[in-house]
Amino acid sequence: MNYMDEIIKKAGEFDIPVVAVADAGRLNVAAPAGFRPGDYLSGARSVVILGRQLPKSVFVSDNDPHYMFYTRAFADNYRRMNDAACVIATMLESEGFPSLAVPAYSPLKFYRGEPCGMISFKHAAAEAGIGKLGKNTIFVHPEYGNILRLGGFITTAELPTGRPKEYKNICPPSCNLCEKSCPVGALSDGEINITRCMTNCIGHALLPPYPIQSSLRWMAGKVDWIKSFMEYFTTSMFENYGIRCMECLLVCPHFPCKKQQK
């Protein structure tokens, strides 16, 4: 069996056009402990990345003050990728390769007091050579721009992997539009203050203001039970919330949708 052909075929059944593979060994070296493919699946050799673009229509509505069309669209994307990852991982397991579907978005884990995915599919996609992380830490694809959303799975199957590419036209050093546009100064020199960004851009009744979030961030990085509480809290919170800010996404030259900013 040509496993890559089968993986691409199965992904296509879920309307997922982008499939790439990163070397799990290289990600094991680059990622922090607790977020490595090998931390979840012994003998992991490949990380398969699935990518699906958001529909452009969610960015053109003039009557969507809280970006609910956008929020529902990316929730649908992540659900599709989770379903596809489970189906493809099961297929590979039937061929004798233990494989593990990794949740595309939630639940989150905390690293140094800030929430992160169980593994970073953005970094895996960059490692696979299909795009590049921008200064706002959003993944940019050469065809789909910054509206591609990612998921995938880990497998012990040895699949053909990509390698990082330079992509000089994506997020060149001379461009800092996203950093200048951030209303709370969460972006600087290619780094992001996730807590500051989340406090501003996420609308949820249970999300405390930034000073409290900042204190919780510090404590979650020091105290294990607070870290565990925050992981439980974010898992519950991130199942349903609204978006209040997308400025760094909208001003990016790789935003592929023509729309007047709100």
Side-chain angles (χ1 to χ4, degrees), residues 126-153:
E127 173 64 34
I130 61 168
K132 179 180 176 181
L133 269 68
K135 292 187 177 77
N136 56 1
T137 73
I138 292 176
F139 183 76
V140 181
H141 186 272
E143 178 180 355
Y144 297 109
N146 60 12
I147 63 171
L148 195 72
R149 296 298 175 262
L150 305 170
F153 62 94

Side-chain angles (χ1 to χ4, degrees), residues 27-28 30-41 47 78 82 100-111 114-124 150-154 194 227 231 234-235 239:
L27 293 174
N28 282 336
F35 296 86
R36 299 165 179 163
D39 293 333
Y40 300 109
L41 183 65
V47 175
Y78 290 132
N82 287 339
L100 181 66
V102 179
Y105 187 56
S106 176
L108 300 174
K109 294 176 64 177
F110 272 69
Y111 176 66
E114 294 195 321
C116 305
M118 298 181 72
I119 67 170
S120 174
F121 284 116
K122 295 187 297 184
H123 288 85
L150 305 170
F153 62 94
I154 306 165
I194 298 175
K227 172 185 169 183
E231 289 178 346
T234 54
T235 296
E239 291 302 315

Side-chain angles (χ1 to χ4, degrees), residues 38-64:
D39 293 333
Y40 300 109
L41 183 65
S42 179
R45 305 192 73 172
S46 306
V47 175
V48 178
I49 303 101
L50 307 175
R52 185 172 185 266
Q53 73 277 23
L54 293 170
K56 295 180 181 180
S57 57
V58 303
F59 297 101
V60 300
S61 173
D62 293 322
N63 190 25
D64 186 19

